[in-house]
């Protein structure tokens, strides 16, 4: 029996290289090894996206992104979170065993508070909805970037607490493990900060040629001349470039930096060329998929049915455990 993998992406604008290398590539690389459940976190997106067209377009976009990178719907159950209403029932139950001070320790909440943002109840409760996503499907592993690690810890704590209060010696919920690859745990954006939509420093995964050029050209550099040797581990251009290369090609580029003779302009041109070579086939595949949206919607529908039937069985156990199932 294969172990269960679960993860999701929020439909909040275009996915970028941070999402891909930090998480989505792992969905792809692990799709044969695990029984996988990959979803579109549309209700999580609603904490920020409150516009009908934007949200429904975002859902289709992420579905196309998943398929275009190569997730195979025959192997992976692809679905949208909103097709599993049981998740909200579970969230309520978890809410009732979660304290306010505990949720106030969440990084995302503290950040929003520090920035004096208006915080809706959805943002505050975000980690518990995520715990429900994960625990509902009995996930063993949750591939994510470093920024989601704390959320997986919330899911673990919640599983433990539920089992302690209601389990009567039985582990109703499994303990999920975050799966975070050290070398890609935080992909930098074009300004060196974590690549994220809110930092405005992204390279979209399906960027046009123009967007690739513009993003790479905006990467800041120091004043070293062409002939000067450069330390690749100090270069942001290299930090992004190395995501695309391995083996001798990567070693070769490293040597070019160290030897001197490679100017930043040329380093950027090499990066643009490799990004284009990496992205162009993905773009073409996505465009082809976008021509038959009804097939995409059908995949989501089928995936939703499968994920929901598991959720429904799980909730039967949970309802019985908490005592609302009167026999
Ligand atoms: P989201 O949509 O913000 O991001 C999707 C995935 O991309 C990763 N990521 C990064 N990894 C490395 N470097 C970066 N610069 C970078 N930027 C983003 C994120 O860590 C994430 O893995 N809360 C989740 C969605 C979610 C979820 C879940 C995930 C909802 N329920 C249950 C797993 C399990 C989120 O907002 O991801």
């Amino acid at each position: 029996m294969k172990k269960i993998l679960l993860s999701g992406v929020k439909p909040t604008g275009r996915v970028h290289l941070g999402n891909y290398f930090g998480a989505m590539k792992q969905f792809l690389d692990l799709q044969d090894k695990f029984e996988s459940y990959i979803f579109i976190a549309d209700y999580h997106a609603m904490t920020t996206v409150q516009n009908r067209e934007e949200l429904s377009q975002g859902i289709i976009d992420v579905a196309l992104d998943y398929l275009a990178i190569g997730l195979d719907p025959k192997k992976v159950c692809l679905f949208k979170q909103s097709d599993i209403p049981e998740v909200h029932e579970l969230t309520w139950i978890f809410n009732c065993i979660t304290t306010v001070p505990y949720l106030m320790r969440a990084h995302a909440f503290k950040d929003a508070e520090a920035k004096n943002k208006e915080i809706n109840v959805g943002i505050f409760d975000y980690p518990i909805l995520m715990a429900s996503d994960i625990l509902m499907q009995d996930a063993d592993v949750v591939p994510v970037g470093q920024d989601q690690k704390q959320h997986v810890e919330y899911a673990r704590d919640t599983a433990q607490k539920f089992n302690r209060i209601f389990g009567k010696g039985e582990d109703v919920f499994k303990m999920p493990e975050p799966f975070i690859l050290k070398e890609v745990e935080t992909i930098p954006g074009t300004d060196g900060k974590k690549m994220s939509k809110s930092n405005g420093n992204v390279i979209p995964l399906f960027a046009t040629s123009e967007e690739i050029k513009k993003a790479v050209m905006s990467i800041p550099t120091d004043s070293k001349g062409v002939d000067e040797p450069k330390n690749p581990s100090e270069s942001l251009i290299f930090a992004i470039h190395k995501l695309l290369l391995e083996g001798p090609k990567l070693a070769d580029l490293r040597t070019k930096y160290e030897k001197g003779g490679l100017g930043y302009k040329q380093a950027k041109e090499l990066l643009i060329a490799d990004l284009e070579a990496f992205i162009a086939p993905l773009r073409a595949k996505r465009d082809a998929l976008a021509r038959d949206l009804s097939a995409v919607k059908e995949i989501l529908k089928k995936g939703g049915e499968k994920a929901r039937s598991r959720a429904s069985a799980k909730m039967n156990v949970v309802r019985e455990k908490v005592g609302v199932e009167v026999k």
Side-chain angles (χ1 to χ4, degrees):
M1 273 249 295
K2 286 182 178 171
K3 288 200 166 184
I4 294 176
L5 176 152
L6 174 133
S7 196
V9 171
K10 260 184 317 189
T12 48
R14 293 159 80 197
V15 304
H16 50 73
L17 296 187
N19 300 130
Y20 181 74
F21 287 103
M24 295 165 78
K25 184 169 185 293
Q26 281 64 267
F27 309 169
L28 188 65
D29 293 344
L30 299 171
Q31 67 178 343
D32 290 313
K33 195 168 163 218
F34 289 90
E35 178 179 331
S36 295
Y37 294 84
I38 300 292
F39 69 99
I40 302 163
D42 47 4
Y43 274 132
H44 272 113
M46 241 185 112
T47 57
T48 55
V49 180
Q50 297 171 356
N51 174 296
R52 183 188 180 283
E53 285 72 30
E54 199 183 329
L55 188 58
S56 59
Q57 185 59 49
I59 292 168
I60 290 294
D61 281 337
V62 175
L64 286 170
D65 299 341
Y66 280 156
L67 294 167
I69 63 165
L71 290 184
D72 178 353
K74 288 196 208 75
K75 295 178 186 163
V76 178
C77 177
L78 291 176
F79 64 102
K80 57 193 212 334
Q81 184 183 37
S82 55
D83 280 341
I84 324 295
E86 287 81 359
V87 155
H88 308 289
E89 188 181 351
L90 186 57
T91 298
W92 177 257
I93 294 170
F94 287 162
N95 278 339
C96 295
I97 60 168
T98 301
T99 69
V100 169
Y102 172 72
L103 277 184
M104 285 174 76
R105 291 204 291 271
H107 302 318
F109 171 74
K110 286 205 292 196
D111 276 4
E113 217 184 22
K115 287 181 190 144
N116 267 330
K117 284 194 185 157
E118 207 171 72
I119 301 168
N120 59 49
V121 176
I123 290 182
F124 187 60
D125 203 30
Y126 190 110
I128 300 302
L129 179 57
M130 186 156 156
S132 301
D133 294 329
I134 296 171
L135 301 178
M136 183 70 95
Q137 301 293 340
D138 289 322
D140 294 293
V141 289
V142 184
V144 283
Q146 176 65 24
D147 62 352
Q148 297 296 315
K149 185 171 182 224
Q150 191 194 33
H151 287 151
V152 183
E153 281 158 6
Y154 270 94
R156 291 169 61 86
D157 289 348
T158 305
Q160 224 161 23
K161 200 162 184 189
F162 184 98
N163 291 344
R164 179 161 44 79
I165 299 174
F166 297 109
K168 295 238 162 63
E170 191 193 329
D171 282 344
V172 178
F173 292 108
K174 264 195 216 169
M175 287 296 264
E177 293 284 344
F179 180 94
I180 300 171
L181 294 180
K182 190 89 199 106
E183 62 282 15
V184 287
E185 64 178 22
T186 305
I187 304 296
T190 51
D191 59 357
K193 293 193 212 128
K194 181 187 94 164
M195 188 178 287
S196 90
K197 284 155 239 172
S198 52
N199 286 337
N201 61 0
V202 306
I203 304 178
L205 178 59
F206 299 91
T208 62
S209 308
E210 269 317 301
E211 286 171 326
I212 295 173
K213 265 189 220 132
K214 201 167 158 220
V216 173
M217 286 307 175
S218 77
I219 298 174
T221 53
D222 59 29
S223 56
K224 284 202 181 79
V226 174
D227 294 330
E228 282 179 77
K230 299 170 184 72
N231 182 350
S233 50
E234 282 169 9
S235 162
L236 186 52
I237 309 170
F238 185 82
I240 298 174
H241 207 157
K242 73 173 186 217
L243 298 167
L244 306 169
L245 304 175
E246 46 189 33
K249 279 196 174 158
L250 181 59
D252 208 42
L253 184 67
R254 201 182 284 280
T255 314
K256 279 202 179 106
Y257 273 78
E258 285 164 349
K259 222 174 53 192
L262 178 74
Y264 289 123
K265 182 165 177 287
Q266 199 197 348
K268 285 184 175 183
E269 282 161 3
L270 293 176
L271 173 57
I272 290 169
D274 283 339
L275 274 171
E276 182 63 26
F278 168 67
I279 290 176
L282 292 175
R283 237 172 14 215
K285 180 141 181 234
R286 196 180 186 285
D287 288 346
L289 288 159
R291 275 182 228 121
D292 187 3
L293 289 184
S294 59
V296 177
K297 290 176 191 161
E298 190 55 31
I299 290 168
L300 289 185
K301 184 164 169 274
K302 286 245 166 63
E305 283 163 5
K306 180 172 176 197
R308 188 167 187 198
S309 88
R310 290 169 56 89
S312 162
K314 191 82 194 174
M315 282 314 294
N316 285 339
V317 177
V318 172
R319 286 190 208 103
E320 204 272 319
K321 286 285 181 189
V322 300
V324 292
E325 198 70 74
V326 180
K327 291 223 183 91

